[in-house]
Amino acid sequence: MRQSLLEQQAATIYQYKLIRRKVIRPELVQSHILIAVILLAFQLLMYRMDGLFSWLLGFAIVQVIHLVILLLAFIRVDDAVDRRWVWGITPPWFGFKPANDIRLALYRRVHRHLFWIGLCAVAVMYPWIQPSLFISIFCWHLWLIVPRMLLSLAFRKQRKDGILRLQKNEASYYHQ
């Protein structure tokens, strides 16, 4: 037997309204990729083949560091949907990103953790790794985190209980 919504005690309806959309321009994505190419050129010029190896290894190390930080950050998250992150190489969202829509407050908190704990992890490695690898790890970490932090900055005036949706060429903020 079907009941109307007014008769149902536990009915919940989610209606989100688009509050703000941030379009990511192709020029911005191209300049972001150009920075990675400049880093490669610098590594090749200064360290030759060790620089190329460090450039590639640095990217892999930063991905592992980010994965560990994400896993640690999600220990306290109650909702399993918020824990679903995927790895991808779609510009500008290189590395790990939310698989679904995510609460803005959680997005900000996770990326603050990624930024600061990632910097600390890089700093801890400093005495034991060669300079070319240190430069690569440090630059890759910043390269991966800066677009996400800029997005967080773009939505800083929005209410924290809203929803953020990341798509290939845009980021949208919704609120009930």
Side-chain angles (χ1 to χ4, degrees):
M1 180 170 122
R2 298 191 92 177
Q3 297 175 333
S4 69
L5 288 176
L6 294 174
E7 295 170 350
Q8 293 179 13
Q9 296 278 335
T12 305
I13 300 173
Y14 294 102
Q15 292 184 358
Y16 290 97
K17 178 181 174 187
L18 177 64
I19 304 297
R20 185 156 184 225
R21 175 173 288 151
K22 178 74 175 164
V23 176
I24 298 150
R25 297 179 30 206
E27 298 85 19
L28 186 64
V29 173
Q30 291 167 356
S31 64
H32 185 65
I33 293 171
L34 182 63
I35 291 170
V37 173
I38 291 171
L39 173 62
L40 174 62
F42 170 77
Q43 289 283 25
L44 285 173
L45 186 65
M46 295 299 292
Y47 301 105
R48 305 216 184 340
M49 288 309 286
D50 284 343
L52 175 64
F53 176 71
S54 295
W55 188 76
L56 294 170
L57 184 62
F59 184 78
I61 290 172
V62 169
Q63 292 301 318
V64 169
I65 291 170
H66 284 190
L67 176 64
V68 169
I69 295 169
L70 282 173
L71 292 175
L72 291 173
F74 288 137
I75 288 174
R76 299 192 64 194
V77 173
D78 297 330
D79 194 4
V81 173
D82 287 335
R83 285 189 245 159
R84 285 210 47 225
W85 285 53
V86 294
W87 189 85
I89 55 171
T90 307
W93 315 119
F94 291 98
F96 293 98
K97 74 171 197 149
N100 302 319
D101 300 343
I102 187 169
R103 291 176 287 142
L104 183 60
L106 179 63
Y107 178 85
R108 286 180 177 167
R109 186 174 66 215
V110 166
H111 284 89
R112 270 195 315 264
H113 282 47
L114 276 174
F115 179 73
W116 290 111
I117 296 173
L119 277 181
C120 291
V122 172
V124 165
M125 288 188 272
Y126 173 70
W128 295 284
I129 59 176
Q130 56 183 312
S132 64
L133 186 57
F134 176 76
I135 291 168
S136 288
I137 292 172
F138 179 75
C139 290
W140 277 123
H141 174 68
L142 290 180
W143 188 82
L144 289 168
I145 267 312
V146 163
R148 297 148 194 263
M149 296 301 280
L150 288 175
L151 184 64
S152 183
L153 188 65
F155 292 121
R156 74 185 176 278
K157 293 182 181 177
Q158 306 303 326
R159 293 176 53 181
K160 294 178 184 176
D161 57 342
I163 301 294
L164 184 65
R165 174 177 288 169
L166 300 178
Q167 296 171 339
K168 183 178 178 182
N169 296 326
E170 67 183 33
S172 304
Y173 173 76
Y174 296 89
H175 197 265
Q176 282 186 324

